Amino acid sequence: MDDPKTLVSTEWLEAHLKDPDLRVLDASWFLPAMNRDAKAGYAEAHIPGARFFDIDEISDNRSELPHMAAPIEKFVSRMRAMGVGDGHQVVVYDQAGIFSAPRVWWNFRLMGKMDIAVLDGGLPKWIAEGRETEDLPPMPRDRHMTVQRQAHLVKDVTQVAHASKLGDHEILDARPYGRFIGQDDEPRPGLRKGHIPGAKSIPWDSLLNADATMKSPDDLRALFAAAKVDLAKPAICSCGSGVSAAMIALALERVGHLNWSLYDGAWAEWGMYNDLRIATGEA
């Protein structure tokens, strides 16, 4: 079901593509091991009218951690320059299907902007269906944006450590299972292996169908149940650096579990400090 606050289909987007208050963002971002250039991919082909949202650049460059959420002033400035502002319905997609787009969905939610949806299946589905693309960026006009930061949608390391100790939240980890149990190395050098004590493994790709669309709400509920996730508890979504964690947040929203937040520092932070406890093996 199309929901312009969470997830919309390619059919929905094509039907609304010429709406004057629609804005489309290409939020592609890839891990180094994926060996793909998101900006080059955008320049080669993007959905008509799409602007490129640079997750690494539109971030807090004062932090040593990767692509932490941008300060309000920087976010508003970048969005205004991209012609994205008040009164707009935003649809965000990526070149992988669904991978990094939910991160930008969360970024907007963090700023109090609710009228944003992820494109189900992303650019690969759009292209596979023979829909139009272009290779020239649009010429945006400034648009005023009013934001109100929603602090409850983000957790810092102290809050996560407290939740881990008390067990009063479900900590859900989107990294591949081999990294979660401490069997596989982290892609970032110098990080310990394992997971936050008490966390449960929800690998990001387990949330998707074979065609990179998100599983149905019923299938997502079954997935959470199989992982013994207690949806009566508030959830904290985590991953390697705060990107794929947002996929869990989107999935939770799709099943009606609205009491969630995202650990922005993620394993890039937790795995760096020896004074933070870690767990390995089966959760």
Side-chain angles (χ1 to χ4, degrees):
M1 181 184 296
D2 290 313
D3 175 6
K5 297 185 187 305
T6 56
L7 196 70
V8 295
S9 65
T10 50
E11 291 83 4
W12 186 97
L13 179 57
E14 187 172 61
H16 291 272
L17 199 55
K18 297 188 185 303
D19 290 2
D21 283 330
L22 181 82
R23 293 293 180 269
V24 182
L25 302 178
D26 181 326
S28 301
W29 178 89
F30 298 105
L31 290 164
M34 294 175 171
N35 199 30
R36 292 181 63 178
D37 185 328
K39 288 182 181 177
Y42 169 80
E44 181 178 337
H46 53 263
I47 293 173
R51 289 93 160 132
F52 185 76
F53 187 109
D54 189 332
I55 286 175
D56 284 326
E57 197 282 321
I58 306 173
S59 66
D60 187 355
N61 56 14
R62 301 166 301 180
S63 174
E64 295 180 358
L65 296 168
H67 42 250
M68 295 286 282
I72 289 175
E73 298 78 9
K74 183 174 184 178
F75 183 87
V76 170
S77 172
R78 296 297 189 271
M79 291 306 98
R80 180 174 180 175
M82 290 166 65
V84 180
D86 294 342
H88 283 151
Q89 169 66 50
V90 179
V91 175
V92 59
Y93 73 88
D94 62 63
Q95 298 161 28
I98 299 181
F99 179 63
S100 55
R103 168 72 187 192
V104 174
W105 171 83
W106 170 77
N107 259 308
F108 273 74
R109 286 293 193 92
L110 182 64
M111 297 297 170
K113 311 303 285 186
M114 297 292 291
D115 294 326
I116 180 165
V118 171
L119 180 63
D120 201 15
L123 188 64
K125 189 171 190 290
W126 182 270
I127 291 175
E129 294 167 346
R131 303 183 195 275
E132 182 184 359
T133 62
E134 61 185 17
D135 57 8
L136 293 175
M139 300 289 289
R141 298 173 62 182
D142 278 12
R143 179 79 168 236
H144 179 73
M145 176 179 276
T146 307
V147 303
Q148 187 170 3
R149 195 173 188 271
Q150 305 297 303
H152 66 282
L153 293 182
V154 64
K155 291 285 190 287
D156 63 24
V157 65
T158 302
Q159 293 169 310
V160 177
H162 191 68
S164 171
K165 182 177 180 180
L166 292 182
D168 57 352
H169 288 64
E170 289 284 25
I171 301 173
L172 308 178
D173 192 325
R175 291 175 301 155
Y177 188 66
R179 288 166 59 191
F180 177 85
I181 63 174
Q183 173 181 296
D184 298 336
D185 291 335
E186 288 294 314
R188 291 176 177 82
L191 297 183
R192 299 173 298 161
K193 297 192 290 185
H195 58 265
I196 298 167
K200 292 172 181 173
S201 176
I202 307 287
W204 64 267
D205 56 357
S206 70
L207 302 167
L208 303 179
N209 297 308
D211 63 352
T213 55
M214 183 159 276
K215 289 180 175 177
S216 70
D218 284 347
D219 286 345
L220 291 172
R221 288 188 194 96
L223 185 153
F224 288 129
K228 296 182 172 55
V229 175
D230 182 357
L231 293 179
K233 289 183 177 182
I236 297 174
C237 308
S238 186
C239 62
S241 65
V243 173
S244 58
M247 294 180 64
I248 299 178
L250 181 62
L252 289 169
E253 193 87 6
R254 291 288 288 172
V255 303
H257 183 74
L258 309 183
N259 192 359
W260 56 264
S261 56
L262 188 144
Y263 174 26
D264 203 10
W267 196 255
E269 180 176 41
W270 194 280
M272 181 169 51
Y273 295 112
N274 289 327
D275 56 340
L276 293 171
R277 292 176 55 236
I278 63 170
T280 56
E282 299 284 341

